[in-house]
Amino acid sequence: MHELSIALSMMEQIEQESAKHRGTVRAVQVRIGALAGVDCDALRFAWEIARAGTPFAETELEIDQVPLMVRCPQCGETREAEMFAIACPRCVTPEQEILMGQELELRSMEMET
Amino acid sequence: MTPRLIEVRANILKENDVLARQLRQRFKRAGVCVVSFVSSPGSGKTTFLEKLMGRMAARHRIAALVGDLATENDAARLRRACPQVRQITTGTACHLDAKMVAAALEGWVLEELDYLFIENVGNLVCPSSYDLGEQMRVVLLSATEGEDKPLKYPTIFNTADVAMITKMDLAVAAEFDLEAARRSILTVRPGMRIVEVSAKTGAGMAETVAMVEGLRVRAQAGC
Ligand SMILES: [Zn+2]
């Protein structure tokens, strides 16, 4: 499971970003796309392990799961797609443009002084 | 005090992405074509690579990096095909990242290479998030695995450029439904190039060599 590596990368990033501001980080908000290849439960679990004994031991992880959104280049239809059924149901064009769903993003931090 | 919300909006694996981008530029400047291979454990990746390198070694300068968990030693097998092979022991990590690749290249003169092959750790999940700076990523699925595997691992098929179906010599014995496998791949990744190979019989190997050589020619032409 690479969620621990991801949690550790997140921690480093939070360390760098929070050093630019005063106060402690109460919570962090991350966006995880359906197609990011990350298991959100595993990430929550990994975060518990990663934060223990660090200055972020109390920092809550808030995950915003982003659905896979695609646009059909043929008919222009924009819709939410299942990961394993991407083709356009309207005009059966197989190749779709991915608009959203690959995010693996540290969106924001909630800080208090 | 009321908490303040501070926007960050950064990719969590930004550091890896930045490093991978630098690697990609370095490979391009040096004129070395880099292809990485990912698969489940036991998909025949090492045997396939050994055969591919064996076919290419006479005409090209080749090197390989092999990501291994501590217990395996695929690097020794690849050395039979070409001497420039380095092992990256990932320890508990189930994937390679750009930093490991950069460290493993230490001391090699990239300008003296035509091709660098990177064999990732046998895993279809974890490698998908880590860009290694490769020019082409190949995902391997063997005829002894389930035809629906691509449906279970859509992310890796979405980050790879080519899908390769290996161990085709075992397809009949394993009652492998090639059409169903192709359908699964094309469902998660419409338009994906699929190559069927057998390292044992050599089927599809010439096509693979041509594909890899074509990649380098295109890179030199600046496309
Ligand atoms: Zn359509």
Side-chain angles (χ1 to χ4, degrees):
Chain A
M1 85 165 204
H2 64 314
E3 281 78 6
L4 188 58
S5 311
I6 289 171
L8 292 171
S9 299
M10 222 162 71
M11 166 100 35
E12 264 176 50
Q13 212 165 29
I14 295 166
E15 222 169 345
Q16 286 167 15
E17 291 296 329
S18 63
K20 300 176 193 164
H21 306 273
R22 279 189 321 120
T24 53
V25 187
R26 196 203 67 79
V28 290
Q29 287 76 36
V30 300
R31 280 160 57 84
I32 307 290
L35 209 54
V38 171
D39 181 317
C40 292
D41 286 331
L43 184 60
R44 284 188 194 96
F45 179 67
W47 178 246
E48 295 297 315
I49 296 170
R51 70 176 185 172
T54 75
F56 306 99
E58 304 288 320
T59 303
E60 296 296 331
L61 173 64
E62 294 167 7
I63 300 177
D64 176 15
Q65 289 178 262
V66 184
L68 174 60
M69 296 290 293
V70 299
R71 184 183 166 277
C72 178
Q74 195 62 39
C75 71
E77 168 120 320
T78 298
R79 68 198 159 84
E80 182 178 340
E82 290 287 349
M83 291 196 290
F84 33 80
I86 286 193
C88 179
R90 229 166 76 174
C91 71
V92 296
T93 297
E95 279 156 83
Q96 303 284 298
E97 183 194 336
I98 295 176
L99 302 175
M100 254 199 248
Q102 294 176 306
E103 295 78 358
L104 191 55
E105 183 192 39
L106 175 61
R107 187 53 178 263
S108 50
M109 304 179 301
E110 217 176 285
M111 297 194 67
E112 45 194 8
T113 27
Chain B
M1 286 294 287
T2 41
R4 296 138 29 234
L5 197 69
I6 292 159
E7 295 271 332
V8 183
R9 288 176 183 260
N11 186 332
I12 293 171
L13 298 179
K14 192 173 79 183
E15 198 187 301
N16 187 76
D17 290 347
V18 168
L19 200 53
R21 213 173 305 134
Q22 291 167 356
L23 276 175
R24 190 166 283 115
Q25 283 165 359
R26 216 176 121 195
F27 294 147
K28 197 175 173 192
R29 270 199 310 271
V32 56
C33 173
V34 183
V35 183
S36 80
F37 297 87
V38 284
S39 76
S40 302
S43 68
K45 190 165 38 157
T46 309
T47 311
F48 164 77
L49 254 179
E50 187 188 341
K51 292 286 161 63
L52 178 66
M53 285 163 58
R55 278 174 183 252
M56 295 181 66
R59 290 193 307 274
H60 306 285
R61 300 166 298 174
I62 296 174
L65 297 177
V66 187
D68 271 332
L69 297 170
T71 50
E72 303 159 338
N73 195 358
D74 292 340
R77 285 175 58 196
L78 288 186
R79 261 180 221 115
R80 298 195 297 222
C82 116
Q84 283 212 86
V85 177
R86 274 185 188 161
Q87 185 178 15
I88 304 175
T89 304
T90 56
T92 56
C94 42
H95 58 270
L96 293 178
D97 63 28
K99 203 185 213 167
M100 298 179 201
V101 169
L105 293 173
E106 195 71 31
W108 275 356
V109 183
L110 294 179
E111 284 73 13
E112 292 172 1
L113 291 176
D114 298 321
Y115 293 95
L116 172 68
F117 295 120
I118 304 176
E119 181 183 338
N120 215 316
V121 182
N123 186 318
L124 278 184
V125 181
C126 310
S128 58
S129 308
Y130 296 87
D131 185 357
L132 304 179
E134 68 269 66
Q135 199 178 333
M136 178 189 266
R137 182 181 286 187
V138 179
V139 56
L140 286 77
L141 173 75
S142 77
T144 54
E145 296 173 79
E147 295 88 353
D148 59 345
K149 216 157 189 182
L151 305 179
K152 295 179 187 156
Y153 302 96
T155 305
I156 195 77
F157 282 84
N158 262 283
T159 62
D161 304 292
V162 175
M164 217 162 254
I165 302 178
T166 58
K167 299 192 186 174
M168 279 305 290
D169 52 290
L170 297 177
V172 174
E175 294 182 22
F176 181 71
D177 186 342
L178 178 60
E179 274 320 301
R182 293 180 63 96
R183 251 192 331 267
S184 313
I185 294 168
L186 294 174
T187 300
V188 295
R189 184 70 186 279
M192 189 173 209
R193 179 168 183 180
I194 303 171
V195 184
E196 295 140 35
V197 297
S198 163
K200 194 171 174 194
T201 66
M205 293 304 286
E207 183 185 350
T208 308
V209 171
M211 177 179 79
V212 171
E213 287 179 341
L215 192 65
R216 182 152 188 270
V217 171
R218 281 212 308 280
Q220 284 171 332
C223 327

